[in-house]
Amino acid sequence: MKKIVMTLVVASAMQVTSSITDPLGARAQDGEQYVPPVCTGDPAAGPVKCNYQNGDNYIGGFANGVPSGRGIYVYADGARYEGQFSNGRPNGEGVFIFADDARYEGVFRDGNIVRGTSVFADGSRYEGTFEIVQYVDSGEVTSQPSGQGQFVFSNGDRYVGAFFAGQPFGQGTLTRVDGTRCQGEFFNQNLDANATCNFPNGTRYEGELRQGVPHGEGVLIDQQGRRFPGQFREGKRFNPTASN
């Protein structure tokens, strides 16, 4: 019986969250005194250029002392947001580009992406919808993949299906560049699942997956329809009673 080992690159970015620094970095927080930016230009006649006390810069529309309309906000660390602003925060279509070339592109709400694409520095990406979550203990607000989406690994493998709390959870399909296709119920970012996998050589596996490969209780079905149930470990059929 041929081995059915499948290699999977599980990107750390599979658990995707986004948290964009408040574009109004110089606003008063925790009782601090607000220091307005130094701006040039006439908001009524065209774009303004502003420099914030913390080293951030902005060019674009301005209203009531904050970015409004279309503009570009450049952070002191080299990151930037280009797109629509409302009430001083990203609202509407835009793209946030990090200093390491990772980016979020899509629709933003109060500085957090709610629909679009996250591209990571290693080339992997998530496409789909996000849910805005605020943590009770810290107050931190993030965008987490939720609902239907797809995660494409840097090696070309992809998971398409349900996401919850930033990771796969629910019905989905894992498709590998070699043509292997696993469909079933996925439980976490490690791609643990109960699924059916069809392999390019015509064999099929039904059972448990761990890190996207057969692991646990399952059955291998060959091209002639013969069934080989048992335990699997890291993609291989495992016989714990076999002599060494």
Side-chain angles (χ1 to χ4, degrees), residues 59-71:
I59 181 171
F62 214 65
N64 299 318
V66 297
S68 181
R70 186 161 188 85

Side-chain angles (χ1 to χ4, degrees), residues 48-239:
V48 299
K49 291 182 178 180
C50 298
N51 174 255
Y52 290 81
Q53 186 182 39
N54 64 354
D56 296 351
N57 290 309
Y58 172 76
I59 181 171
F62 214 65
N64 299 318
V66 297
S68 181
R70 186 161 188 85
I72 302 174
Y73 193 100
V74 181
Y75 296 83
D77 66 2
R80 72 181 185 273
Y81 170 80
E82 304 178 13
Q84 293 293 324
F85 286 83
S86 178
N87 297 321
R89 293 186 175 89
N91 276 286
E93 295 280 350
V95 54
F96 190 96
I97 304 171
F98 293 86
D100 64 358
D101 289 333
R103 64 178 58 206
Y104 298 132
E105 185 170 3
V107 179
F108 291 79
R109 183 187 305 155
D110 290 332
N112 292 279
I113 189 169
V114 294
R115 185 175 69 255
T117 301
S118 298
V119 180
F120 302 92
D122 67 353
S124 59
R125 69 183 187 274
Y126 168 80
E127 303 172 6
T129 57
F130 296 76
E131 180 181 12
I132 298 177
V133 176
Q134 182 172 17
Y135 295 100
V136 176
D137 54 348
S138 65
E140 179 186 6
V141 178
T142 66
S143 292
Q144 300 178 351
S146 183
Q148 293 297 306
Q150 70 168 329
F151 190 95
V152 182
F153 295 88
S154 57
N155 69 346
D157 294 346
R158 71 179 61 214
Y159 166 85
V160 179
F163 284 78
F164 177 75
Q167 56 186 316
F169 193 78
Q171 286 292 320
T173 301
L174 173 65
T175 304
R176 301 184 182 280
V177 292
D178 67 359
T180 299
R181 181 182 175 90
C182 297
Q183 187 170 12
E185 186 84 6
F186 289 81
F187 304 120
N188 51 38
Q189 65 180 14
N190 292 326
L191 298 177
D192 298 343
N194 289 323
T196 296
C197 296
N198 292 285
F199 300 96
N201 64 0
T203 60
R204 187 170 80 250
Y205 170 83
E206 299 174 357
E208 299 177 45
L209 304 182
R210 182 172 296 175
Q211 295 190 0
V213 301
H215 190 102
E217 293 284 346
V219 56
L220 180 66
I221 305 167
D222 68 12
Q223 297 93 327
Q224 288 74 42
R226 294 175 298 182
R227 301 173 66 87
F228 302 90
Q231 289 282 328
F232 290 77
R233 292 290 184 273
E234 299 178 352
K236 296 181 288 186
R237 196 159 178 261
F238 174 72
N239 183 359

Side-chain angles (χ1 to χ4, degrees), residues 7-23:
T7 302
L8 172 66
V9 178
V10 180
S12 60
M14 172 57 89
Q15 185 167 4
V16 188
T17 61
S18 71
S19 181
I20 296 176
T21 306
D22 189 346

